[in-house]
Amino acid sequence: MLRALIFDFDGLILDTETPEVHAWQEMYAAYGQELDFAWVAYQIGRGAEQIVERPVDKLANLVPSLDKEAVEGDYRARRMSAILAEPIRPGVERLLAEAKAAGIRLCVASSSRHEWVDTHLSRLGLFDFFEFTCCADDVERAKPFPDLYLLALEKLGLDASEAMALEDSPNGSQAALDAGLMVVAVPNEVTRYLDLSHATAQFASMEEVTVEGLRELRG
């Protein structure tokens, strides 16, 4: 029986990932360089400690005279401006309300930190839908390791067979699978180009996801 849904945040509830990629593409282009999409895609959904090389460091290797501090400041301003203009992804609010009405418990498992996740959920008016949020500062290893999902299950007091995860990236999906969860993948503009074939099911939009459909998948 489906008793809980565990949501990713970045890229699933709010598309923070597409603005991030676009901002770095703009920064690279400003220095006559091209951002390697495959390299960036590999990082999506990973915790900060799991990222081997930051985009600014990679750019600095290509442009030795780069002022990394100035570039990072410009990047952060571009990214945040775009993120604040992003709406909640279509179908998210409807699914949250539908699940809540059906008595299904809701929580978040994110590779970002509480300050980021909780602030945005509050700003968007979604924070109160969730019992709690599990974030990178709650575990030693963020995604693609399963620790965040295992913590969420522990706090819910449920077995993995009683819950499902909703994700947008291969790294996040793998983390959920390794925690024993079924995973529904709903990619965004960036992650739709990535291989999500290991997910239990994949939908083009959260507008296609319903509680009834998730219950049928869960069995």
Side-chain angles (χ1 to χ4, degrees):
M1 179 183 292
L2 180 61
R3 298 183 184 276
L5 294 175
I6 309 175
F7 284 72
D8 176 41
F9 175 70
D10 290 288
L12 181 79
I13 292 175
L14 179 68
D15 188 2
T16 61
E17 293 165 351
T18 300
E20 180 175 351
V21 172
H22 287 172
W24 276 121
Q25 285 175 327
E26 291 171 4
M27 297 308 301
Y28 271 61
Y31 289 90
Q33 304 295 327
E34 185 175 348
L35 184 65
D36 182 349
F37 178 79
W39 176 81
V40 173
Y42 176 74
Q43 317 284 357
I44 293 175
R46 288 176 171 260
E49 75 282 359
Q50 307 301 332
I51 295 176
V52 177
E53 185 179 23
R54 299 180 305 154
V56 69
D57 295 324
K58 193 174 183 69
L59 182 58
N61 290 334
L62 298 170
V63 184
S65 61
L66 190 76
D67 183 339
K68 292 203 295 185
E69 186 175 340
V71 167
E72 284 196 302
D74 192 357
Y75 156 74
R76 285 193 294 268
R78 290 170 185 256
R79 180 189 67 159
M80 187 54 69
S81 176
I83 287 173
L84 291 176
E86 280 286 323
I88 299 166
R89 289 192 67 197
V92 169
E93 286 182 277
R94 189 267 312 151
L95 180 59
L96 291 174
E98 186 180 316
K100 200 81 168 178
I104 294 174
R105 300 167 68 187
L106 304 170
C107 64
V108 169
S110 171
S111 284
S112 292
R113 300 180 71 82
H114 275 288
E115 182 181 10
W116 177 264
V117 175
D118 297 351
T119 298
H120 280 295
L121 286 175
S122 296
R123 176 179 67 82
L124 297 167
L126 300 179
F127 188 82
D128 289 342
F129 276 108
F130 301 100
E131 285 188 31
F132 56 84
T133 58
C134 292
C135 298
D137 30 348
D138 294 321
V139 295
E140 290 188 11
R141 304 181 306 173
K143 303 170 189 177
F145 294 99
D147 303 35
L148 282 162
Y149 281 109
L150 292 172
L151 177 61
L153 288 170
E154 180 183 339
K155 294 182 75 168
L156 287 165
L158 297 177
D159 185 80
S161 64
E162 299 175 288
M164 294 181 75
L166 290 97
E167 275 284 353
D168 71 287
S169 72
N171 285 313
S173 297
Q174 191 60 56
L177 288 169
D178 288 347
L181 289 157
M182 294 179 71
V183 186
V184 170
V186 188
N188 55 53
E189 184 180 333
V190 170
T191 58
R192 65 181 177 176
Y193 297 106
L194 307 182
D195 182 11
L196 288 161
S197 59
H198 56 308
T200 309
Q202 182 174 334
F203 296 92
S205 168
M206 201 77 84
E207 292 180 305
E208 300 175 5
V209 183
T210 64
V211 167
E212 181 181 0
L214 293 175
R215 280 174 166 161
E216 289 178 0
L217 279 172
R218 176 66 274 175

